């Protein structure tokens, strides 16, 4: 059901510093900041030959990233995103298998302009999973 790894998301306490670190120290192709108000984050995508890194920074007082950074002040891996061909079929299969979909279960449009869903980390070995329709 799952396809390729789309990205690994890392929550960061300083988006500008993290972007500069990837650009300067690692020589990575770092994109511009992109506000995603529906998700409460500002993101920066780092393009790698085989996948992407997504830097996450809180956007607004209600951002879920605030809580993550409160527990992990230096930042850290927040979630892993896998691609799926049919997001609704994947959701229905996962629900039938007992997995929990976060929110109301309806896909939202993600940072790539495609529908996404998040799966509860307690159902996946402590890892928050994002599914993105390709």
């Amino acid at each position: 059901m799952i396809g390729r790894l789309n990205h690994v998301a890392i929550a960061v306490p300083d988006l500008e510093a993290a972007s500069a670190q990837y650009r300067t120290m690692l020589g990575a192709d770092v994109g511009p900041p992109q506000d995603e108000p529906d998700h409460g984050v500002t993101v920066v995508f780092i393009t790698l030959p085989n996948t992407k890194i997504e830097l996450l920074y809180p956007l607004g007082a209600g951002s879920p990233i605030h809580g993550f950074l409160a527990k992990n002040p230096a930042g850290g891996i927040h979630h892993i995103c896998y691609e799926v061909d049919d997001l609704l079929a994947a959701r229905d299969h996962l629900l039938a298998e007992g997995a929990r979909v976060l929110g109301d279960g309806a896909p939202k449009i993600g940072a790539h302009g495609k529908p996404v869903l998040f799966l509860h980390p307690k159902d996946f070995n402590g890892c928050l999973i994002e599914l993105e329709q390709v």
Side-chain angles (χ1 to χ4, degrees):
M1 179 177 63
I2 63 172
R4 66 180 216 105
L5 175 67
N6 183 280
H7 65 267
V8 175
I10 303 172
V12 298
D14 185 332
L15 189 58
E16 192 173 309
S19 296
Q21 183 180 47
Y22 272 87
R23 185 181 302 106
T24 305
M25 293 179 75
L26 296 173
D29 177 11
V30 178
Q34 176 181 324
D35 289 346
E36 295 295 331
D38 287 349
H39 297 278
V41 295
T42 299
V43 301
V44 168
F45 282 101
I46 299 164
T47 304
L48 305 176
N50 59 343
T51 192
K52 294 179 282 300
I53 301 293
E54 178 185 42
L55 302 178
L56 298 171
Y57 184 76
L59 176 65
S63 173
I65 302 304
H66 284 301
F68 184 90
L69 290 173
K71 294 176 187 169
N72 306 279
I77 294 177
H78 183 264
H79 69 267
I80 297 173
C81 178
Y82 298 110
E83 296 177 353
V84 295
D85 290 327
D86 185 334
L87 187 59
L88 295 179
R91 177 201 60 196
D92 293 346
H93 171 77
L94 288 158
L95 289 171
E97 291 294 320
R100 290 171 281 180
V101 175
L102 297 181
D104 63 6
K108 288 186 177 182
I109 298 302
H112 295 119
K114 298 177 181 175
V116 299
L117 288 171
F118 286 87
L119 306 175
H120 201 292
K122 288 185 179 177
D123 297 336
F124 292 93
N125 306 294
C127 184
L128 178 63
I129 301 291
E130 179 182 16
L131 299 178
E132 178 177 288
Q133 184 163 308
V134 291

